[in-house]
Amino acid sequence: MEYIYEHKDKVRDYECDLQGIVNNANYQHYTEHARHEFLLTRDISFAELHEQGIDCVVSGIEMRFKAPLKSRDEYVVRINVRKEGIRYIFLQDIYRLPDNKLCLKAKVEAVCVVNGKLGDCDILERSLCNC
């Protein structure tokens, strides 16, 4: 798959469980942080959208764990996005660095609530879509 954005980060000790690997819930934090950073590169701020009556919310997440990350591992979240109806589908893969070992495949579905109703968001359309 081709990616349109990459976000690099590093595992912190407190994100690991007793087994010494990243607790599964933290992978959702990693993908969310990477999506927010990606959107900022496209000049999209959730706070500014909210002020305009637009709320982008996650409607579903599918995660497939492939290999564990451990404390102090560096990793990269790679992102692609497509549109299906009113849903934005963020395909996010996490790779351990420097060996590029695939650790997680995630599919995050998001929708926009515009003035209280589900609908399309022109701002996202212009900023995200070559999808």
Side-chain angles (χ1 to χ4, degrees), residues 60-98:
I61 297 176
E62 180 181 312
M63 300 172 94
R64 298 283 181 240
F65 300 92
K66 302 297 185 179
L69 287 169
K70 298 179 180 180
S71 181
R72 292 179 278 161
D73 278 348
E74 293 183 0
Y75 64 89
V76 62
V77 181
R78 295 183 174 131
I79 298 176
N80 202 337
V81 63
R82 67 177 187 249
K83 186 135 190 287
E84 294 179 2
I86 63 169
R87 295 176 300 147
Y88 293 91
I89 310 298
F90 291 86
L91 302 171
Q92 298 183 250
D93 298 334
I94 297 179
Y95 292 87
R96 182 178 60 215
L97 297 174

